[in-house]
Amino acid sequence: CTGKGWISPQNSFQLPHNGVLEVEELRELREQPTDPQVEQEIIDSIEEVYFSSDSFDTVQYELEKLPPDLNLLELEEYRDKLKRQQAAVSKRVADLILEKQPSYVKVSSLHKCFNSAFRQLRSAKEGFTEASLGLLANQRRRQLLTGLLKSLRTIKTLQRTDVRLSEMLEEEDYPGAIQLCLECQKAASTFKHYNCISELNSKLQDTLEQIEEQLDVALSKTCKHFDVSHYTKVQLAYKLLGKTQTAMDQLHMHFTQAIHNTVFQVVLGYVELCAGNADTKFQKMPYKDLCTHITTDSYIPCLTDLCKALWEVMLSYHLTMQWHDDAEGSDESTVGRSYVKKKLEHGLTRIWQEVQLKVKAYLLGTDVSNFKYDDFIVVLDVISRLMQVGEEFCGSKSELLQESIKRQSVNYFKNYHRTRLEELRMFLENETWELCPVKSNFSIAQLHEFRFMGQCRSPSVSPSRQPESTEPVELCLFEQYLQGGNPFEMQIDNKEEETEDVLASNGYESDELEKSVYQDYDSDSDVPEELKQDYVDEQTGDGPVKSVSRETLRSRKRSDYNAPILTNTTLNVIRLVGKYMQMMNILKPIAFDVIHCVSQLFDYYLYAVYTFFGRNDMYESSGLGLISSRLRTTLSRIQESLIDMVSPHASPEERKEKVPRPHLSQLVILTSSDTLYGLAERVVATESLVFLAEQFEFLQPHLDTTMPSAKKPFLQQFYSQTVSTASELRKPIYWIVAAKAIDYEQMLLLMVGVKWDIKEIMSQHNVYVDVLLKEFEKFNQRLGDVSKIVRIPLPVSNVLWEHCIRLANRTLVEGYANVKKCSNEGRALMQLDFQQFLMKLEKLTDLRPIPDKEFVETYIKVYYLTENDMEQFIKNHREYSMKQLTNLVNVCLGSHINKKARQKLLAAIDDIDRPKR
């Protein structure tokens, strides 16, 4: 042992055959001249692996080290290096042997002993091997038997597998059952040489098919109540079977079936419940026919339950898609994922179409045209909410639902509107045109029918039920109801929240005593008993509105004096417009039909007010142009299109679309001079129409946004031709009061007795002027009396005064035109009389300028015109009647011109084409 570990004799040099190295050879090796340091370096350069073990194959090692491309020069150099290393090692070994020669002799002796022992051992080994082989044979037999036992145990386990499989299926562990079944099949193929196993293989195949059937049932359960863990197990099971795509095909079939079964069971339940007997004929009916057996009372509850059940199915589908989106990161193949994604997306539209078809059949199965308004609004709400679900579910515009709800809505609305128009006629014919005492701050926005205008409502919640929204962004329905609940859980039975208090409280208004809308008055004993009784409109279900006596009105607070002027009927029309607009908001497809009906409500109200208070045959002869051509056209249009005049040529269908002409209540007296010919009623009627027109103006932008573009011209024309004419009714209606309020005939008679061909300038005016002024004072006083009953707005007061003054001035001109003889002094007296009249009149009224002042003054001054000027005057002043112009020619110019000239002027008067004013 030296330097680098143990040097094996084989690795250094070969021993001689006799095993003894000649001493001379060793000495020869030692005597070779070397440098010990160089020798040690050469030994140190030998690779470590050469000293590792006796079994090391140096030749193999060196051959493996050779590079792929051999270079002779390099190989020779490397060979010389190895020789030098071998020489150095041989020399070192020779030195060691010579130093230890006595020991080496002993080793040789031992070598001989070893050879002898080896021979003896070989003999013993041959004897021992025979015994060993016997042992080995026994051991092999034992191993074979152990393997057989293991196989038998496996076979026994396999044969008991069906029990465990049944347990797993009961536990709904489908992946585990399939996994076990597949493992058993694999194991069974190993032992297929056994007869019992071939039978087992067949049984396992049957079990696998049975599992597939149960798996299909489990898959169908996800269509109504999706459960993540359940669906995950089912999908994993199909994946183990390698049938993921088949599962998706089956899933869509199950969803379609679930929709059919769901709607049929819901409708059948209601039909059987309402039929009240155990008749099984309904169970065999087609779904469409079954829908026609739903009763009116059960229509809404059944529709709601139908939508609730369908929501569950659609939510399950939505959650199924969500599950597959979340599972996209799985190790499933890209092709498989793509198929599932496309299949699910395509299924969205198919499933929604199926839902629409089922709900459409239900909607059209019942005639809803006679439903109560609130009930129909609920139907619209439910369908609107369902359409919102469709929009979120698959981006559908729900054409089938829209078409069917539009059809039902048009039928319903025509019937509803027909009834409302008849009711409006009844209201108008029973209306006594007394004030409905509302507060001074009254606004239609306070009425619950118009609450929807101040809210950003979802398309499916009725305006009256829309909660105040505090969320800036509304969650979609599938997000809102993901954890539970149902968008069709509508609180139909909840009472409507109380309407804003809009009625005046007759002087007892206070914060402490909050008034309800249609409260009893905080009345003393002086309030008549009948005023305390509520009136409820049975047709519309509207609350009671008080009919208030004039005495009660007088006791109102002064703050309510400026309150809007309206009647119970006006309020009903406004509310009706609100209801129509609610329907329009929900049912955009019939928006035009609704707006057309809204316009008819206004038309009929306007026509009634005109018919009751504005009709008079004296208009045309007055020359005052009381009815504009626009108003005349509007009234003619309304009469022709809306009023049933009992024409013998009208067909029953045409008459069905019209309403009989209304008649004024006999309780309304318009002939008494004490009441200024029903001025209070006229003011209430006319100003309530003006108020109604103002509300329509306020609603125009909202109506405009709902109106289809193609129909917008109708709306614009309705506003420009009809709504804007409401205030024009003031002229003809108040003219009738003005025409009767002052005794113009008496003044004419008094003027006949005046002598106008005087020779002296008079300083005193005539008596007829004082009589006329007395009439105006009396009129002013009566106006004050009426204003205690009903507020007379300034425009009304101005129209009344304007009419009276114009009529007085025209009576003056008519009186002057009756004069047979007149002098210059007489003309001066006319001017004096008129100036006296104007001076006193201006103290009675604030109306400026005085109407028709120039009409009188010009007529008086014509006396001084020449013949030529007179001819031009006749042509330019068509406002004077032929009689008045003829009188000017005969009386005023008679003394200044000859007969021929007079004839010429009279002919000019005859030739004038006078259009009717």
Side-chain angles (χ1 to χ4, degrees):
C1 183
T2 178
K4 288 193 179 182
W6 174 257
I7 300 174
S8 170
Q10 296 108 303
N11 292 345
S12 52
F13 55 88
Q14 294 292 318
L15 288 171
H17 294 295
N18 58 6
V20 179
L21 195 65
E22 295 294 332
V23 175
E24 286 78 11
E25 289 177 334
L26 293 171
R27 284 200 182 100
E28 190 181 327
L29 284 168
R30 290 187 71 196
E31 284 170 1
Q32 289 178 0
T34 58
D35 184 345
Q37 188 177 350
V38 171
E39 185 182 273
Q40 185 61 45
E41 285 175 0
I42 290 169
I43 290 169
D44 288 343
S45 71
I46 298 168
E47 289 183 56
E48 196 74 41
V49 72
Y50 279 92
F51 303 96
S52 59
S53 68
D54 291 347
S55 61
F56 177 62
D57 190 340
T58 57
V59 175
Q60 181 69 25
Y61 177 70
E62 287 301 338
L63 285 172
E64 285 174 354
K65 276 178 65 180
L66 290 175
D69 302 321
L70 300 175
N71 186 303
L72 183 62
L73 188 64
E74 287 175 1
L75 282 172
E76 286 178 344
E77 283 179 7
Y78 189 62
R79 181 196 63 191
D80 294 344
K81 178 185 172 185
L82 289 173
K83 280 184 176 180
R84 285 195 297 276
Q85 288 176 344
Q86 185 182 25
V89 170
S90 297
K91 187 173 182 301
R92 178 65 61 86
V93 170
D95 289 345
L96 287 170
I97 289 171
L98 286 175
E99 285 173 16
K100 307 289 184 182
Q101 192 178 17
S103 302
Y104 176 72
V105 174
K106 289 178 184 176
V107 168
S108 296
S109 174
L110 279 169
H111 184 68
K112 290 174 182 175
C113 291
F114 175 76
N115 285 340
S116 173
F118 184 73
R119 283 193 294 275
Q120 290 175 10
L121 181 63
R122 186 183 294 165
S123 173
K125 184 183 176 185
E126 286 170 359
F128 177 74
T129 300
E130 290 174 7
S132 294
L133 285 171
L135 283 169
L136 283 169
N138 288 334
Q139 177 62 22
R140 185 169 176 276
R141 195 177 292 112
R142 184 181 174 188
Q143 282 179 339
L144 284 169
L145 289 169
T146 306
L148 180 62
L149 182 63
K150 188 177 179 183
S151 295
L152 288 169
R153 280 177 180 158
T154 304
I155 289 166
K156 186 180 180 182
T157 305
L158 285 172
Q159 288 181 324
R160 287 182 179 173
T161 302
D162 57 341
V163 178
R164 179 63 192 130
L165 281 171
S166 297
E167 289 173 358
M168 286 175 133
L169 289 174
E170 278 182 29
E171 293 163 8
E172 295 187 345
D173 182 8
Y174 306 108
I178 290 168
Q179 189 77 48
L180 178 60
C181 211
L182 293 172
E183 284 172 5
C184 287
Q185 278 188 325
K186 190 177 177 184
S189 68
T190 310
F191 302 107
K192 61 186 174 186
H193 48 281
Y194 296 111
N195 289 334
C196 60
I197 290 301
S198 64
E199 290 173 15
L200 179 66
N201 233 337
S202 173
K203 190 176 180 183
L204 282 171
Q205 189 57 40
D206 291 344
T207 305
L208 205 56
E209 287 172 9
Q210 185 190 341
I211 291 171
E212 258 193 79
E213 286 174 13
Q214 289 200 29
L215 194 56
D216 192 50
V217 173
L219 184 66
S220 70
K221 286 180 182 175
T222 65
C223 297
K224 284 193 179 178
H225 303 289
F226 184 87
D227 178 77
V228 175
S229 61
H230 176 80
Y231 190 73
T232 305
K233 281 193 290 188
V234 171
Q235 280 297 327
L236 182 57
Y238 273 111
K239 190 175 177 184
L240 287 169
L241 291 171
K243 294 188 175 181
T244 304
Q245 292 188 10
T246 309
M248 294 317 298
D249 296 340
Q250 287 294 103
L251 185 66
H252 282 85
M253 187 189 76
H254 287 313
F255 266 105
T256 306
Q257 194 61 39
I259 290 167
H260 177 77
N261 293 345
T262 297
V263 295
F264 190 85
Q265 289 306 319
V266 170
V267 176
L268 179 66
Y270 275 93
V271 170
E272 288 186 334
L273 184 70
C274 296
N277 56 36
D279 194 343
T280 56
K281 68 173 181 181
F282 296 121
Q283 294 168 10
K284 295 167 188 173
M285 271 187 187
Y287 170 74
K288 197 173 179 180
D289 294 342
L290 192 65
C291 290
T292 62
H293 289 272
I294 286 288
T295 62
T296 306
D297 290 342
S298 61
Y299 187 83
I300 289 174
C302 182
L303 175 63
T304 310
D305 284 349
L306 204 62
C307 292
K308 280 183 194 173
L310 287 169
W311 162 260
E312 295 294 343
V313 176
M314 286 183 284
L315 179 63
S316 292
Y317 196 90
H318 175 81
L319 291 169
T320 304
M321 288 193 75
Q322 205 173 64
W323 186 93
H324 283 280
D325 284 343
D326 295 343
E328 275 213 4
S330 66
D331 57 355
E332 199 179 328
S333 71
T334 311
V335 177
R337 277 205 309 273
S338 173
Y339 178 85
V340 168
K341 191 178 174 81
K342 281 181 182 172
K343 190 79 179 171
L344 283 167
E345 285 174 355
H346 179 64
L348 277 171
T349 313
R350 281 178 52 198
I351 282 167
W352 178 241
Q353 195 73 353
E354 198 66 32
V355 168
Q356 283 193 87
L357 283 167
K358 299 300 182 192
V359 178
K360 178 185 175 180
Y362 182 84
L363 279 175
L364 300 179
T366 304
D367 178 13
V368 298
S369 61
N370 291 307
F371 272 33
K372 288 179 181 173
Y373 171 82
D374 285 340
D375 288 344
F376 190 69
I377 284 289
V378 171
V379 174
L380 294 186
D381 274 352
V382 173
I383 299 304
S384 185
R385 171 64 54 114
L386 188 61
M387 286 195 279
Q388 186 186 349
V389 170
E391 177 79 42
E392 292 178 12
F393 187 66
C394 60
S396 169
K397 295 299 175 194
S398 308
E399 286 82 1
L400 285 176
L401 284 178
Q402 285 203 36
E403 184 268 326
S404 51
I405 199 67
K406 181 181 178 180
R407 202 194 310 175
Q408 284 287 43
S409 300
V410 169
N411 288 342
Y412 176 82
F413 196 74
K414 278 185 176 176
N415 194 59
Y416 181 80
H417 179 61
R418 170 92 216 141
T419 312
R420 298 293 84 77
L421 274 179
E422 282 294 342
E423 276 175 13
L424 179 54
R425 180 171 73 94
M426 182 192 74
F427 271 114
L428 289 165
E429 292 188 341
N430 287 283
E431 180 63 71
T432 53
W433 304 100
E434 292 180 349
L435 268 182
C436 177
V438 293
K439 289 181 175 178
S440 55
N441 65 346
F442 170 73
S443 157
I444 62 169
Q446 294 163 358
L447 302 170
H448 73 254
E449 287 86 353
F450 291 92
R451 293 264 170 96
F452 70 94
M453 287 178 62
Q455 297 159 355
C456 180
R457 75 186 276 280
S458 73
S460 56
V461 179
S462 76
S464 52
R465 294 181 180 84
Q466 175 75 7
E468 289 286 336
S469 177
T470 52
E471 292 293 324
V473 180
E474 192 178 351
L475 290 170
C476 84
L477 296 174
F478 285 99
E479 289 171 352
Q480 281 183 58
Y481 298 96
L482 201 60
Q483 303 304 322
N486 195 300
F488 297 97
E489 288 283 357
M490 306 176 86
Q491 303 303 313
I492 296 163
D493 295 327
N494 278 7
K495 293 293 179 193
E496 201 67 79
E497 58 183 87
E498 281 298 322
T499 314
E500 179 72 29
D501 177 13
V502 296
L503 294 191
S505 50
N506 301 319
Y508 296 96
E509 186 177 357
S510 69
D511 294 333
E512 294 77 33
L513 277 173
E514 187 61 36
K515 310 293 179 190
S516 65
V517 196
Y518 299 122
Q519 64 196 353
D520 284 334
Y521 295 101
D522 294 338
S523 55
D524 295 318
S525 55
D526 62 333
V527 179
E529 193 60 34
E530 61 268 18
L531 289 182
K532 300 176 187 175
Q533 293 173 0
D534 290 348
Y535 162 71
V536 180
D537 170 20
E538 292 176 6
Q539 293 288 336
T540 62
D542 284 336
V545 178
K546 300 301 177 207
S547 179
V548 185
S549 73
R550 291 172 187 179
E551 289 76 16
T552 311
L553 285 166
R554 285 199 188 98
S555 69
R556 287 184 307 159
K557 275 177 67 176
R558 194 70 193 170
S559 64
D560 285 327
Y561 185 72
N562 293 320
I565 295 172
L566 67 155
T567 67
N568 295 340
T569 306
T570 326
L571 209 51
N572 276 313
V573 171
I574 290 169
R575 286 205 159 121
L576 208 47
V577 169
K579 287 180 177 182
Y580 280 30
M581 287 177 71
Q582 284 180 23
M583 296 176 83
M584 196 165 58
N585 248 29
I586 300 170
L587 269 176
K588 303 233 172 5
I590 67 160
F592 171 69
D593 303 80
V594 178
I595 288 179
H596 183 255
C597 293
V598 165
S599 74
Q600 286 189 337
L601 295 175
F602 187 85
D603 284 350
Y604 197 68
Y605 195 95
L606 181 144
Y607 186 82
V609 170
Y610 166 74
T611 308
F612 294 169
F613 302 103
R615 247 177 213 277
N616 195 288
D617 298 330
M618 294 166 64
Y619 291 150
E620 308 303 337
S621 61
S622 72
L624 292 171
L626 296 172
I627 298 182
S628 66
S629 59
R630 183 174 65 157
L631 180 57
R632 184 179 283 107
T633 305
T634 296
L635 290 167
S636 299
R637 175 190 63 76
I638 295 170
Q639 183 164 298
E640 191 178 326
S641 63
L642 189 61
I643 308 303
D644 182 6
M645 303 299 284
V646 199
S647 167
H649 306 294
S651 67
E653 199 56 39
E654 282 178 321
R655 291 191 63 182
K656 190 180 175 185
E657 299 295 320
K658 296 183 176 184
V659 199
R661 179 175 158 181
H663 297 283
L664 182 65
S665 166
Q666 291 181 344
L667 297 173
V668 181
I669 309 299
L670 301 178
T671 54
S672 170
S673 60
D674 293 339
T675 62
L676 261 183
Y677 307 94
L679 178 60
E681 288 85 351
R682 291 174 192 275
V683 168
V684 170
T686 313
E687 300 315 304
S688 68
L689 174 66
V690 172
F691 175 77
L692 189 60
E694 287 168 359
Q695 305 319 301
F696 267 74
E697 295 284 359
F698 169 70
L699 296 171
Q700 186 179 6
H702 193 86
L703 293 172
D704 193 63
T705 55
T706 322
M707 188 67 125
S709 300
K711 301 287 187 180
K712 283 188 191 288
F714 166 82
L715 190 67
Q716 288 158 3
Q717 190 173 13
F718 168 63
Y719 272 91
S720 63
Q721 297 294 318
T722 306
V723 177
S724 62
T725 61
S727 58
E728 290 182 20
L729 249 66
R730 283 171 173 157
K731 276 191 174 182
I733 289 173
Y734 297 132
W735 182 86
I736 296 171
V737 174
K740 293 180 178 180
I742 287 168
D743 192 347
Y744 307 101
E745 289 296 322
Q746 182 195 11
M747 186 177 69
L748 268 180
L749 290 171
L750 290 171
M751 290 178 78
V752 169
V754 176
K755 187 175 173 59
W756 299 106
D757 56 345
I758 52 174
K759 302 296 180 188
E760 294 178 12
I761 298 287
M762 304 293 289
S763 59
Q764 180 63 37
H765 62 270
N766 282 299
V767 174
Y768 74 88
V769 175
D770 295 324
V771 172
L772 180 59
L773 286 168
K774 276 275 183 220
E775 286 285 302
F776 270 100
E777 284 171 7
K778 192 164 68 171
F779 168 73
N780 194 32
Q781 188 181 347
R782 285 179 180 173
L783 214 53
D785 292 339
V786 173
S787 70
K788 291 174 185 175
I789 299 166
V790 59
R791 174 174 64 87
I792 298 179
L794 186 60
V796 176
S797 173
N798 287 345
V799 167
L800 281 164
W801 277 100
E802 182 189 343
H803 280 336
C804 287
I805 294 167
R806 288 184 78 186
L807 283 167
N809 284 338
R810 281 162 188 267
T811 305
L812 287 172
V813 170
E814 190 64 23
Y816 298 149
N818 288 334
V819 174
K820 302 297 179 192
K821 290 180 182 178
C822 185
S823 62
N824 286 345
E825 291 79 8
R827 285 292 166 188
L829 181 58
M830 288 178 184
Q831 284 183 315
L832 175 67
D833 289 347
F834 187 57
Q835 290 307 315
Q836 177 67 17
F837 170 64
L838 290 178
M839 185 180 68
K840 292 287 178 72
L841 187 64
E842 285 176 348
K843 292 178 182 177
L844 292 174
T845 177
D846 295 326
L847 190 64
R848 300 291 185 276
I850 297 294
D852 281 356
K853 177 182 170 187
E854 295 81 7
F855 184 77
V856 182
E857 289 176 338
T858 304
Y859 191 82
I860 296 171
K861 290 172 185 173
V862 174
Y863 183 83
Y864 305 106
L865 293 181
T866 63
E867 178 189 334
N868 291 336
D869 290 340
M870 188 64 181
E871 188 174 358
Q872 195 60 44
F873 178 86
I874 290 167
K875 288 178 181 176
N876 293 341
H877 290 270
R878 300 186 177 191
E879 67 268 26
Y880 297 106
S881 68
M882 287 180 71
K883 175 196 169 186
Q884 290 165 352
L885 291 171
T886 303
N887 182 266
L888 285 174
V889 172
N890 288 331
V891 178
C892 303
L893 297 176
S895 56
H896 307 302
I897 58 175
N898 59 34
K899 188 176 180 182
K900 186 179 178 182
R902 187 161 65 242
Q903 291 297 330
K904 183 185 175 186
L905 289 172
L906 291 174
I909 294 170
D910 287 335
D911 289 342
I912 291 171
D913 177 25
R914 296 179 180 279
K916 291 186 177 180
R917 303 295 296 261

